[in-house]
Amino acid sequence: DVAGLLMNMGSALCKQGELDRGMAKYEKAHAIFCRLYGEDHVEVAAVLGNMANILGKQGRRAEAMAMEEKVLEIKRRTLGSDHDSVALTLHSLGISCMDHGMLQEALARLEEGLGIVRRLHPERNTQEAKILHSIGGVYSRQGKLDSSLAMYKKAHRIFRKTLGSESWDVVTALGAMGLVLHKQGNVEEATDKLNEALAIIRRTRGDEDQNVAEFLNMVAAVRCDAGDVEGALVCWREARSIFRKRGITG
């Protein structure tokens, strides 16, 4: 399976940061898949999805979005509209639209993906929570903070139920909730959420993990806005110490 081997090589190169070489392998795999199966095939969609991911990492977002749209069209034709893979691509497109500032388009893609996931998995699952989290991000950028917070809370509840109370997705949901609460001026509750996330990171990754430092900086910003300058300085100093130990400057 030459095309499969090329896919594996492309993936390995991308993990090493060699994006151009990875793209070259994917392009060869794409050509083989198209010759074998034609353009409307799940293998073709899979390799195009990987190529879109590379384009996004290279900052070529418009090209990445166009390729993701092509992936979506192929998946709809080959798998049908109500399929987990279609929902995944809609989620990815929603995030791409959000990154481009196309917030209404992002919301439409995300809500369509959410509808598919809920029809396929009425018992609730992780993918639903991930889409809800992304919808919360769109609402936050639109300034709809109450709606944003509601989405993050729903995502948080599902993540806790499906992945456990100390999963990384729970941490990201707590962090997002903390940032929205901070924007709303609710500094006490914002601090509580960020500290809860920070405690999970310390327990699961250790006190000197880079994410500890990043969340400490977030807590410091909230405390500073609340007038607790001394508390903010304590957090900033610990964060700076962690960054220095890890060789991170600036």
Side-chain angles (χ1 to χ4, degrees), residues 86-101:
V86 172
L88 283 170
T89 300
L90 284 164
H91 187 191
S92 179
L93 269 169
I95 292 171
S96 296
C97 288
M98 180 165 53
D99 289 341
H100 273 75

Side-chain angles (χ1 to χ4, degrees), residues 3-113:
L5 178 60
L6 287 165
M7 288 277 280
N8 291 336
M9 292 171 66
S11 177
L13 287 165
C14 289
K15 288 178 182 177
Q16 294 170 0
E18 298 189 48
L19 300 182
D20 288 336
R21 292 182 64 197
M23 178 65 91
K25 300 299 182 186
Y26 286 143
E27 287 172 344
K28 289 180 181 178
H30 176 256
I32 293 171
F33 283 138
C34 285
R35 283 200 304 271
L36 289 173
Y37 308 121
E39 293 195 0
D40 270 6
H41 194 276
V42 289
E43 294 287 6
V44 174
V47 70
L48 285 172
N50 290 343
M51 292 163 67
N53 186 43
I54 290 179
L55 290 169
K57 290 179 179 179
Q58 291 176 327
R60 298 158 65 182
R61 292 181 176 176
E63 293 174 73
M65 282 184 65
M67 195 164 286
E68 284 182 308
E69 290 283 1
K70 190 171 183 180
V71 171
L72 181 61
E73 291 170 6
I74 295 171
K75 286 184 177 181
R76 287 193 198 277
R77 288 193 294 267
T78 57
L79 301 173
S81 294
D82 271 11
H83 194 282
D84 282 322
S85 189
V86 172
L88 283 170
T89 300
L90 284 164
H91 187 191
S92 179
L93 269 169
I95 292 171
S96 296
C97 288
M98 180 165 53
D99 289 341
H100 273 75
M102 301 160 59
L103 300 183
Q104 286 303 121
E105 292 88 341
L107 196 57
R109 294 298 193 182
L110 293 170
E111 287 178 342
E112 185 181 355

Side-chain angles (χ1 to χ4, degrees), residues 136-247:
V138 174
Y139 283 144
S140 179
R141 294 192 185 199
Q142 290 177 326
K144 300 176 181 178
L145 299 183
D146 288 340
S147 296
S148 175
L149 186 59
M151 292 298 106
Y152 287 139
K153 285 182 176 179
K154 289 180 182 179
H156 176 252
R157 285 196 297 270
I158 298 173
F159 284 140
R160 282 180 62 91
K161 181 180 178 181
T162 58
L163 299 176
S165 61
E166 301 213 334
S167 68
W168 183 251
D169 286 297
V170 167
V171 169
T172 59
L174 287 167
M177 289 160 64
L179 291 176
V180 171
L181 288 162
H182 184 201
K183 289 179 182 178
Q184 291 178 321
N186 191 341
V187 293
E188 184 175 347
E189 195 172 350
T191 303
D192 287 344
K193 296 299 183 188
L194 294 174
N195 279 331
E196 185 179 347
L198 185 56
I200 295 171
I201 301 170
R202 290 188 190 275
R203 287 194 297 270
T204 58
R205 302 194 175 192
D207 289 329
E208 295 187 0
D209 185 82
Q210 180 177 336
N211 292 287
V212 170
E214 290 172 355
F215 269 79
L216 281 166
N217 278 338
M218 291 162 66
V219 174
V222 176
R223 286 184 173 175
C224 187
D225 285 349
D228 181 12
V229 177
E230 187 58 40
L233 285 172
V234 170
C235 292
W236 276 323
R237 286 172 186 143
E238 185 182 355
R240 186 172 60 180
S241 174
I242 294 169
F243 283 134
R244 282 179 175 172
K245 288 177 182 176
R246 300 184 66 86

